[in-house]
Amino acid sequence: AQSVSQHNHHVILSEAASLELGCNYSYGGTVNLFWYVQYPGQHLQLLLKYFSGDPLVKGIKGFEAEFIKSKFSFNLRKPSVQWSDTAEYFCAVNSNDYKLSFGAGTTVTVRA
Amino acid sequence: NAGVTQTPKFQVLKTGQSMTLQCAQDMNHNSMYWYRQDPGMGLRLIYYSASEGTTDKGEVPNGYNVSRLNKREFSLRLESAAPSQTSVYFCASSEALSGRGSDTQYFGPGTRLTVL
């Protein structure tokens, strides 16, 4: 089974700062990679995903992530955060089946 | 189009009580899932259903049973609740039969369960 590590438990930053959240996984075969976000009081929703093709993936709300196979990483980035990006962010991985493995999550707090 | 709905939103049980969490989706999805979310542990898969009439165990199935009532509905039952089952429970669904790995899973709002 895969394991997923998210490096930061809680990130606090100011509006307009850049954000990068780390995600590493343990599985060596073909993988599908996801970032989900949970805004306060809302459902988990998909930010972006990678399953093939260009390793630089763009998602909603200005987020992007880069799949680096050699580093088993799928880090999430946003050049300039807004207060509305305050949320919990989850990295998830599967090896082309239904069994999604989630990281522990990173809470991002953006101060106005 | 409500997406994935769950009832109830909150529940408090005493140890040993039973209850059923309900989940329904209106997206005509084939696969449905139950997860639990605990602080510092992310989401863990409890059970999965690839299609009506089929269910499979996930990572943490002990103490739970599920029923895929029809294509829309997937319920999770706690027969004898324990304090270790205090958690937030999420239902999800995805389009593909047999849970194609690249499919997006769509999540419900969650049920916050406390077992005293």
Side-chain angles (χ1 to χ4, degrees):
Chain A
Q2 307 92 341
S3 67
V4 182
S5 298
Q6 291 185 239
H7 309 305
N8 308 98
H9 178 63
H10 193 180
V11 172
I12 302 171
L13 58 168
S14 300
E15 277 192 310
S18 64
L19 173 69
E20 181 160 358
L21 302 181
C23 174
N24 286 92
Y25 61 93
S26 65
Y27 187 69
T30 301
V31 291
N32 301 296
L33 300 152
F34 304 79
W35 276 98
Y36 281 86
V37 61
Q38 187 174 25
Y39 297 104
Q42 295 189 26
H43 307 196
L44 267 85
Q45 59 184 282
L46 183 73
L47 263 183
L48 47 79
K49 66 180 179 182
Y50 170 83
F51 55 94
S52 66
D54 189 342
L56 184 61
V57 179
K58 294 192 185 301
I60 61 171
K61 303 191 180 188
F63 284 90
E64 65 179 30
E66 185 175 13
F67 170 47
I68 303 179
K69 191 173 181 180
S70 61
K71 295 185 178 180
F72 299 91
S73 70
F74 190 54
N75 293 352
L76 181 72
R77 298 192 291 253
K78 184 169 183 179
S80 177
V81 296
Q82 301 172 313
W83 177 80
S84 58
D85 293 322
T86 294
E88 190 159 17
Y89 293 80
F90 294 94
C91 182
V93 178
N94 68 20
S95 55
N96 214 30
D97 63 10
Y98 63 88
K99 295 177 183 175
L100 261 184
S101 295
F102 282 82
T106 299
T107 301
V108 173
T109 301
V110 180
R111 291 186 170 152
Chain B
N1 189 341
V4 180
T5 56
Q6 293 181 234
T7 55
K9 286 193 168 71
F10 301 93
Q11 184 71 49
V12 179
L13 294 178
K14 294 180 180 177
T15 297
Q17 288 185 315
S18 62
M19 79 160 294
T20 300
L21 280 64
Q22 306 287 354
C23 173
Q25 52 90 9
D26 62 2
M27 296 175 282
N28 201 36
H29 285 170
N30 289 292
S31 299
M32 296 185 75
Y33 315 81
W34 276 106
Y35 292 89
R36 59 178 288 172
Q37 182 185 20
D38 301 294
M41 301 188 74
L43 280 77
R44 293 179 291 168
L45 183 66
I46 305 171
Y47 269 95
Y48 154 76
S49 170
S51 62
E52 185 179 348
T54 69
T55 60
D56 286 296
K57 293 179 181 179
E59 184 183 352
V60 288
N62 290 346
Y64 305 96
N65 286 302
V66 290
S67 296
R68 183 74 181 268
L69 305 167
N70 48 56
K71 192 171 185 180
R72 290 187 64 247
E73 298 173 291
F74 187 38
S75 62
L76 178 72
R77 183 161 177 83
L78 286 70
E79 290 290 352
S80 178
S84 61
Q85 293 178 305
T86 294
S87 188
V88 181
Y89 291 86
F90 288 99
C91 179
S93 69
S94 65
E95 183 175 356
L97 208 58
S98 298
R100 184 171 52 207
S102 58
D103 274 8
T104 299
Q105 293 186 18
Y106 294 85
F107 287 81
T111 295
R112 189 173 294 273
L113 175 67
T114 301
V115 183
L116 302 175

